[in-house]
Amino acid sequence: MRSLSSFFILCFVSFVNGMFYDTAPRLYDFGPGTIGAPMLFRYSFDDARMGPPYEFRFKFAQFPQYDKTLVSDQNGKDYVVTFESAKAGNYTVQIDAWYSRHGIPFHWIGTLHSTFQLTDSLTGTIAVNDDARKKVVSTAETFKLTARMSYYFGFFNSAAITYKWIINDEQQEESKEVIEHTFSRPQLNNISVIVTATKTNGSRLIQKSGTFNLTLESKDPITDLTVDGPTEVKVFERLQLDCKIHGGTPPFHYDYSSWMGGPYSEHIDVTKPLNESLFSLIRYFSEKGTRKLKIVAKNDVSSITKWMEISVY
């Protein structure tokens, strides 16, 4: 099965003290980290005028046993730590960066302080059709839901993992990493999966559980767009096209395009939001000729297009 082992990068948080040569230290965060699983601290800064090697000093106020100095030829460094004996909570890390020569730091680049979080639970996300950012789905489709643990390094690859899915307070029969589901009506859907991982690490048995949550909105797609109005009109005569969106969950919006080739070039684009399924297009034309019209009605999960020609005489 696909599992991602522990990879947490501590996010851009406060930096303190000055920097030399336009350097900009950064610390990234994909946390929180799980106690007993590897956690990655990634520190980097912009290129500076003075070249490598660089020295990076990681200091943990609450865990001095993990303090470490690392040397790199790159303007950044990864440090992987497994916090074995810790309590869930927020902790601090300080990173000092120096230019180094022959193993001796001689020029300070900067100091960065940050907080990071440790938890005793598994962490992860729920992806919809492999997209962890998807928040709106159509009621006319079946979607794949995937539980993704937020770990790298293959730490949980050998673990026995169980899944319990709960959708809108109803437990699902499927107990796998990936399930399929259809959201039959427009509403907000609360989705949870309880993940439990059990593995042996040396002589130690590790068991961690966590709940990943997602709120997903389901909407009906638009089924049709009808347009009522004349297809011929005189110059300077009012043209009104009454449009109706069939089906679909609002809000809507429509795109309207009109164009004509020679001898008189004309191209108009209009985009407007809608809360209702009815809208009218009103136009006047100052020149004779045939206009091509394109009307597109949309909501978050669908789009439907109507093409028309209007003869102006």
Side-chain angles (χ1 to χ4, degrees), residues 107-119:
H107 200 110
W108 174 72
I109 297 173
T111 298
L112 190 148
H113 297 272
S114 179
T115 61
F116 64 95
Q117 183 182 2
L118 291 178
T119 177

Side-chain angles (χ1 to χ4, degrees), residues 125-128 144-148 162-181 190-195 212-214:
T125 59
I126 298 172
V128 182
K144 181 178 67 175
L145 303 175
T146 305
R148 290 180 174 175
T162 62
Y163 303 87
K164 185 170 77 173
W165 290 89
I166 302 169
I167 299 178
N168 295 328
D169 297 325
E170 294 184 5
Q171 185 171 337
Q172 305 300 296
E173 293 182 2
E174 300 97 330
S175 56
K176 300 176 291 186
E177 177 189 9
V178 181
I179 66 171
E180 291 187 346
H181 193 80
N190 297 311
I191 305 168
S192 299
V193 58
I194 302 171
V195 182
F212 313 157
N213 299 297
L214 173 66

Side-chain angles (χ1 to χ4, degrees), residues 83-137:
F83 296 96
E84 297 285 0
S85 300
K87 294 182 179 180
N90 295 319
Y91 298 94
T92 58
V93 60
Q94 173 183 316
I95 305 174
D96 297 298
W98 293 77
Y99 296 108
S100 176
R101 289 291 182 272
H102 307 295
I104 300 174
F106 75 96
H107 200 110
W108 174 72
I109 297 173
T111 298
L112 190 148
H113 297 272
S114 179
T115 61
F116 64 95
Q117 183 182 2
L118 291 178
T119 177
D120 204 32
S121 302
L122 295 176
T123 62
T125 59
I126 298 172
V128 182
N129 284 356
D130 293 324
D131 184 353
R133 296 173 296 178
K134 195 173 187 65
K135 302 298 180 185
V136 183
V137 296

Side-chain angles (χ1 to χ4, degrees), residues 28-41:
Y28 298 91
D29 181 1
F30 284 43
T34 297
I35 298 166
M39 181 174 182
L40 175 68
F41 295 82

Side-chain angles (χ1 to χ4, degrees), residues 1 40 58 87 120 184 188 257 271:
M1 61 132 311
L40 175 68
F58 292 80
K87 294 182 179 180
D120 204 32
S184 58
L188 286 177
S257 300
T271 299

